[in-house]
Amino acid sequence: MSKIKEILEDNKSIIAFDVDGVLAPLEYGEYNHYYANDEEWAEEIERGTDFYDDVRVVKTMKDFIDTKDINNIYVITKAMNEKEFECKIRFLTKNYGILKDNCYMVYKDNEKLDKLNEIKKITNVEDKYIVMVEDTVSILNHIMENSNYTTVHISTFMK
């Protein structure tokens, strides 16, 4: 029987969230989940487009985070470059109150585990209380297979 909800509700838990598909809906194209391809996205970011400026907040996630000590909330997100990461940080601080210092950027999916290990060193909690909330199963599997951290698919939050 799953104890994921118990861990999520425990005040000792340090919870790290992905952004795209978790804290920000994937609604970047007019009729599609994505704007274009990765190269075009990166070019737009370099030109100064902030795709996160008018992204709506996921109410379920906002309500959940509002019940937590914001110092225990982290973000680990993949970004094309520092400009995109800064856009995400503005979105996260403005809409969720997440602390800028608790936001980590990676370039590759498997680096998310490295960032969780850094968070573990900072917080020094038992492994099961380090939680990653993610929408990509391959990332969750990598964390599950290479650590004792708790992995949570975004579908856990669906009502």
Side-chain angles (χ1 to χ4, degrees), residues 55-115:
V55 170
R56 69 180 171 85
V57 172
V58 179
K59 184 174 178 357
T60 302
M61 304 312 290
K62 170 89 170 109
D63 291 348
F64 174 77
I65 289 171
D66 284 348
T67 69
K68 298 296 173 190
D69 177 346
I70 202 65
N71 295 299
N72 292 342
I73 300 297
Y74 288 77
V75 165
I76 306 172
T77 185
K78 189 165 124 181
M80 297 272 185
N81 52 44
E82 289 290 331
K83 285 184 179 181
E84 181 182 18
F85 184 53
E86 288 300 319
C87 293
K88 288 184 179 190
I89 289 173
R90 278 193 300 277
F91 167 76
L92 295 165
T93 57
K94 173 183 164 190
N95 294 294
Y96 290 97
I98 295 172
L99 305 172
K100 180 179 179 176
D101 289 344
N102 285 9
C103 297
Y104 293 85
M105 180 182 86
V106 298
Y107 290 106
K108 297 178 184 173
D109 291 340
N110 63 354
E111 294 172 348
K112 289 190 176 189
L113 178 56
D114 299 333
K115 297 301 180 185

Side-chain angles (χ1 to χ4, degrees), residues 32-64:
N32 301 100
H33 70 288
Y34 201 50
Y35 170 74
N37 61 43
D38 286 350
E39 185 178 304
E40 292 167 322
W41 178 275
E43 288 171 5
E44 285 293 322
I45 295 287
E46 283 299 321
R47 280 196 280 271
T49 302
D50 184 346
F51 289 104
Y52 298 88
D53 190 41
D54 61 356
V55 170
R56 69 180 171 85
V57 172
V58 179
K59 184 174 178 357
T60 302
M61 304 312 290
K62 170 89 170 109
D63 291 348
F64 174 77

